[in-house]
Amino acid sequence: QEEELPVYLKLGDIRSRAMTLGKVADIYQDRGQPDEALRIHQEDCLPVYLKLGDIRSRAVTLGKIANIYHARGQLDEALHIRQEEELPVYLKLGDIRSRAMTLGKIADIYQARGQLDEALRILQEECLPVFLKLGDIRSRAVTLGKIADIYQARGQLDDALRIRQEEELPVYLKLRARRDVLVCEASIANMLVHRKAAGDREQAVILLNKAHAEATQMKLPEAQQIESFLNELSSESPSSPFPLK
């Protein structure tokens, strides 16, 4: 704010200034100040991209606005932006990856609204084939994780576990994506606890301890969530899943 922005203002480089303001908004969002983040996106960034005719940057900014609405629980507003304003841009540009990523976020909204069948259809029919075609194995694994979440919400724990253990986790291990691995293992542990088959609880504790050690070493916020779940496990059976994303 104090060093970079004044340079672009002095140079009259309104695009670079808008891009930097967008990153400032991201910081406000991360700090839990969504109102200020939203104001910057709407008042400082969008008008510039509209003036410049930069439809991609405008779509990206609209996506960030949709993220804020989603986090606030304003799902109808978020869905409208995704479907009516952001998605058509990527279709026009022929950007199949950004379109698939946006469709995945639309599926998240449907899931949050309890429309699990539509969320599942989008992920399976519109997202997975694109990531497979592009060879984007990480995005495909993330999408499989979302499908597992839906199966878990439906009570299909065996199906959810199979996806996590056989399709999602191996990708993160191959990529050596430590955070993704620990989050996935914690999710597997959560499913084991709620399935309640013989040996599930013991295996869950092993996975959670491993994930907690990794998260602690990496100084990730997930460490506290996992620790709380372990403490809950030691006292009684947890009543609901804990989502790690």
Side-chain angles (χ1 to χ4, degrees):
Q1 287 180 315
E2 296 178 11
E3 296 185 47
E4 189 175 357
L5 281 175
V7 173
Y8 297 134
L9 187 60
K10 183 178 180 180
L11 293 173
D13 186 346
I14 60 172
R15 186 180 188 280
S16 294
R17 182 175 181 272
M19 295 290 287
T20 302
L21 282 166
K23 292 174 183 177
V24 170
D26 293 341
I27 293 171
Y28 278 121
Q29 175 73 359
D30 291 341
R31 287 169 55 174
Q33 297 175 260
D35 290 344
E36 182 59 15
L38 187 61
R39 185 197 65 76
I40 292 171
H41 287 313
Q42 291 178 324
E43 298 178 12
D44 294 325
C45 299
L46 281 182
V48 173
Y49 298 135
L50 184 63
K51 179 179 179 180
L52 294 173
D54 186 345
I55 61 172
R56 177 183 291 280
S57 294
R58 183 175 181 274
V60 170
T61 302
L62 285 166
K64 291 180 178 182
I65 291 170
N67 287 339
I68 294 172
Y69 282 137
H70 191 163
R72 284 177 163 180
Q74 296 174 258
L75 301 181
D76 290 343
E77 291 89 337
L79 185 62
H80 171 79
I81 290 172
R82 297 283 189 205
Q83 291 181 320
E84 305 297 329
E85 299 189 74
E86 185 182 6
L87 203 58
V89 172
Y90 298 133
L91 185 62
K92 181 179 180 179
L93 293 172
D95 186 346
I96 62 171
R97 186 181 186 279
S98 294
R99 181 176 180 272
M101 295 292 285
T102 302
L103 282 165
K105 292 175 182 177
I106 288 171
D108 293 341
I109 296 171
Y110 279 123
Q111 184 177 354
R113 287 168 58 167
Q115 296 172 260
L116 301 184
D117 290 344
E118 180 60 12
L120 187 61
R121 184 197 66 77
I122 291 171
L123 294 171
Q124 290 178 325
E125 298 179 12
E126 301 196 62
C127 298
L128 280 182
V130 172
F131 297 135
L132 183 63
K133 179 181 179 180
L134 294 173
D136 186 346
I137 61 173
R138 186 184 181 278
S139 294
R140 182 175 181 274
V142 169
T143 303
L144 285 166
K146 291 181 179 184
I147 290 171
D149 286 339
I150 293 173
Y151 282 138
Q152 183 176 8
R154 284 176 163 181
Q156 297 172 251
L157 295 180
D158 289 339
D159 293 327
L161 271 169
R162 183 194 61 76
I163 290 172
R164 293 280 192 201
Q165 293 173 321
E166 298 178 16
E167 298 189 73
E168 185 185 8
L169 184 59
V171 173
Y172 301 144
L173 289 170
K174 180 179 179 180
L175 294 174
R176 297 182 180 179
R178 291 175 65 192
R179 182 188 177 277
D180 291 332
V181 168
L182 75 87
V183 169
C184 188
E185 287 183 336
S187 296
I188 290 169
N190 180 273
M191 290 179 187
L192 291 170
V193 168
H194 288 85
R195 190 174 67 169
K196 300 179 182 178
D200 278 357
R201 191 182 185 90
E202 292 75 15
Q203 182 62 25
V205 170
I206 292 171
L207 287 171
L208 287 169
N209 279 322
K210 179 175 177 286
H212 181 258
E214 280 283 298
T216 301
Q217 184 182 38
M218 296 173 67
K219 298 180 180 179
L220 297 174
E222 286 83 1
Q224 187 173 354
Q225 291 176 267
I226 297 169
E227 183 176 358
S228 296
F229 192 68
L230 277 166
N231 290 336
E232 191 177 348
L233 265 181
S234 66
S235 58
E236 59 183 38
S237 297
S239 59
S240 60
F242 69 105
L244 292 175
K245 300 297 181 187

